[in-house]
Amino acid sequence: MVRRVFLRSSGALVCPSRVPTSSSITSLIMDARAVLEFATVTRGIALVLQAVLNAVIPDHDADAFRPPRTEEPLYLDSVVEWLLGGLSRWDAEHYLFIAERGYLYEHNFAFFPLFPIVLRGLADVLLWPLSSWLSLRGRLLLAVALGNSALFLLSVVALYALSRTVLQDRRLALLSSLLYCITPANVFMTAGYSESLFAALTFGGLFLLEKGFTLRACLALSIATAARSNGLVNTGFLLYLPSLHAISHIRFYRSTTKGHSKVFHYIWAVASLLITSLLGTAIIALPFCAFQYYGYRTFCTPSTSLESIHPGLLLLAERKGYRVPDENGPPPLWCMRALPLLYSHIQDVYWDVGFLRYFELKQIPNFILALPMATLGIMAAYAYFQANSELCLRLGLWETPASKGLDKPIPGFFNPRVFVYIVHSAVLLVFGTLCMHVQVLTRFLASSSPVPFWISAHLLLLNEPLLHRRKTSNPNVQIQTHSRNGFKLAPHNPIVALLPHFKDCSPTTQSILGYFLSYWVLGLVLHCNFLPWT
């Protein structure tokens, strides 16, 4: 049974602060360098592979959003389209269209504005010197490749920093970050999707929140909500982590103060919690509310006439049944609802998203596609509850008599600080399974939660002797240091070291790495050629 321990201080559920030593700083730099190098290499390979696969495999004639080109191509457009055209498939076309033309069609409002703003900014500012050789469309494609590569590197750094802070286990944090570099959602981190942007802001915001920079964390998580709607779920962290802080303060005041002063401190702790939670929640939700208001004004009180819209785009709207704003036409029915949310209307009408709507026999292949990621989420929740059942039942908010004599939490996946991330992952998993197109679970979880990478790294360290794990997250499990078949593994990138000896690895390692690598490659093969994927 895993030993459960807690820190009794005003900084509840955190490890005591340590003065960094030269060796720890050196190891931190080496780990960060290994992660960044691997992330850079995987980004380069992904860009090259998508170009080759897109050129070799003919595109499928999918019934996808393909707006007509309204701009004359320039000298280098065909080259950029040949090299980077695979990054513009499926939903990426929506983001590119919004960056180029703005929010014209009603269903475009399913895609939040931050990523198109970033792309347009890169195209108009950083890539402006190329405007004589590349049309706006070509510069936007180039912005996708450059922007998402840089954003992915930022998300890797943010995930590594968050993992070191929460897990308090250097090797588990390193391995988790390296696994993230070969994420099963690779193609969506590379193509014109907002996943890399959202992951960088989410992991960075959670790291700031863990470090106590609440206002900066709120701003980062608020910006993340401008990239994807599920950023709203991050308000749970803002409600939970300050609650831990308030409870620890109340516990401290109870043992150190007396009389009226104690009551005053109690009131101040509760008031601070309420102010922080309410204000932070409002900040995080503000971009979502502002975007919905913009959608309401665009279609319910339009100021645009059909004559101002390009004829080719109007023809597409008529052929496909897309609604466009028209000041001379009647407002859509959703404008008459008590809460006129355009986002909910789009998910319902255009994508048929709703509770249990996807539970049909014909969707079994999509459930199979999502099964590996769902399995990781279920395993993480089950293993954590088994190891920390009392903490889970108490929601990790207060101590028990058995835990009061213990001075610090165990490092690794079973650390009490992981609890809120397990809950967050479980909520996303349940919601994604019951209310969404289930195949998107892979990118939905991979860009929103560190848990799939934490549990994968934890399982590798527990079950793979080749990793030379001398001390595991579970102190009752010891893996002996030895080599197998006479070889040893490189210390700073165990993923690269394991791959040449894949057949000698444990079944757990083969399953996890097989899943990550197969989805990493298959996503590029299928998605970049308009074939259905996750």
Side-chain angles (χ1 to χ4, degrees), residues 182-203:
I182 54 171
T183 171
N186 165 57
V187 68
F188 302 104
M189 300 291 190
T190 309
Y193 282 64
S194 60
E195 267 72 6
S196 287
L197 174 61
F198 183 74
L201 290 166
T202 298
F203 296 153

Side-chain angles (χ1 to χ4, degrees), residues 1 97 113 182 196 269 313 332 353 356 359 401 428 438 485:
M1 185 176 184
F97 178 80
I182 54 171
S196 287
L313 299 177
V353 171
L356 297 182
F359 281 68
L428 294 180
V438 72
N485 295 340

Side-chain angles (χ1 to χ4, degrees), residues 168-500:
Q168 296 293 311
D169 185 320
R170 171 196 166 193
R171 198 158 188 219
L172 187 58
L174 172 63
L175 189 54
S176 302
S177 303
L178 293 173
L179 284 171
Y180 177 73
C181 294
I182 54 171
T183 171
N186 165 57
V187 68
F188 302 104
M189 300 291 190
T190 309
Y193 282 64
S194 60
E195 267 72 6
S196 287
L197 174 61
F198 183 74
L201 290 166
T202 298
F203 296 153
L206 295 178
F207 169 72
L208 292 171
L209 193 58
E210 288 283 354
K211 286 296 186 180
F213 301 110
T214 306
L215 180 58
R216 299 178 196 177
C218 288
L219 292 176
L221 296 176
S222 176
I223 298 172
T225 307
R228 295 187 63 85
S229 61
N230 55 296
L232 289 172
V233 184
N234 291 329
T235 56
F237 290 100
L238 197 65
L239 297 174
Y240 182 81
L241 294 177
S243 297
L244 286 181
H245 186 70
I247 290 173
S248 66
H249 272 74
I250 291 174
R251 197 162 55 233
F252 175 76
Y253 296 143
R254 185 175 59 188
S255 60
T256 58
T257 58
K258 298 180 180 180
H260 297 293
S261 177
K262 181 186 294 188
V263 176
F264 171 77
H265 285 305
Y266 287 173
I267 295 174
W268 173 249
V270 174
S272 299
L273 169 64
L274 292 175
I275 293 173
T276 300
S277 299
L278 292 176
L279 182 60
T281 300
I283 293 174
I284 293 175
L286 180 61
F288 179 86
C289 298
F291 187 55
Q292 297 312 299
Y293 178 71
Y294 172 60
Y296 177 85
R297 290 295 303 270
T298 300
F299 285 97
C300 300
T301 58
S303 57
T304 304
S305 63
L306 297 181
E307 290 76 15
S308 62
I309 301 175
H310 191 280
L313 299 177
L314 272 181
L315 182 62
L316 177 66
E318 294 174 3
R319 189 170 72 250
K320 292 288 189 177
Y322 299 153
R323 179 183 291 275
V324 295
D326 179 13
E327 61 182 355
N328 299 316
L333 294 178
W334 63 265
C335 293
M336 312 303 175
R337 295 175 183 171
L339 187 62
L341 285 180
L342 177 53
Y343 185 76
S344 300
H345 167 74
I346 294 170
Q347 294 295 332
D348 178 34
V349 173
Y350 288 92
W351 273 272
D352 195 30
V353 171
F355 183 65
L356 297 182
R357 289 189 187 180
Y358 221 57
F359 281 68
E360 301 175 319
L361 288 177
K362 66 180 181 180
Q363 302 298 346
I364 288 178
N366 288 322
F367 277 88
I368 294 174
L369 276 178
L371 185 60
M373 183 59 72
T375 300
L376 287 177
I378 294 170
M379 289 177 65
Y382 178 77
Y384 194 85
F385 181 81
Q386 286 290 101
N388 292 297
S389 55
E390 293 180 8
L391 179 140
C392 294
L393 294 175
R394 293 183 283 104
L395 303 181
L397 293 177
W398 58 84
E399 297 175 337
T400 63
S403 67
K404 289 185 177 180
L406 303 172
D407 58 355
K408 67 175 184 178
I410 59 172
F413 184 72
F414 296 128
N415 192 311
R417 296 175 74 170
V418 178
F419 170 76
V420 66
Y421 296 89
I422 295 291
V423 174
H424 173 255
S425 172
V427 169
L428 294 180
L429 176 59
V430 172
F431 179 78
T433 303
L434 300 180
C435 302
M436 295 172 58
H437 292 181
V438 72
Q439 70 269 24
V440 307
L441 268 181
T442 303
R443 58 188 172 99
F444 185 55
L445 283 174
S447 64
S448 306
S449 172
V451 169
F453 308 102
W454 289 351
I455 185 61
S456 299
H458 171 74
L459 291 172
L460 288 182
L461 292 176
L462 285 181
N463 294 282
E464 183 47 68
L466 296 180
L467 291 176
H468 290 229
R469 182 65 170 171
R470 294 189 296 272
K471 185 178 180 181
T472 69
S473 298
N474 183 341
N476 292 329
V477 177
Q478 301 295 326
I479 294 179
Q480 300 298 322
T481 301
H482 68 278
S483 61
R484 183 186 295 181
N485 295 340
F487 61 81
K488 293 186 177 181
L489 300 181
H492 277 94
N493 197 326
I495 302 298
V496 172
L498 283 172
L499 290 179

Side-chain angles (χ1 to χ4, degrees), residues 90-155:
W90 296 107
D91 288 353
E93 193 63 71
H94 287 275
Y95 285 112
L96 290 168
F97 178 80
I98 294 166
E100 183 178 359
R101 309 288 305 191
Y103 285 91
L104 175 63
Y105 301 123
E106 187 179 59
H107 67 291
N108 289 149
F109 278 81
F111 305 93
F112 277 47
L114 182 60
F115 186 60
I117 290 173
V118 170
L119 292 182
R120 186 61 182 260
L122 289 174
D124 285 349
V125 178
L126 182 65
L127 301 176
W128 177 81
L130 299 176
S131 57
S132 299
W133 295 276
L134 279 175
S135 66
L136 178 57
R137 163 78 181 192
R139 282 181 282 133
L140 287 173
L141 268 179
L142 193 56
V144 167
L146 296 176
N148 267 350
S149 296
L151 288 167
F152 186 81
L153 295 183
L154 288 176
S155 69

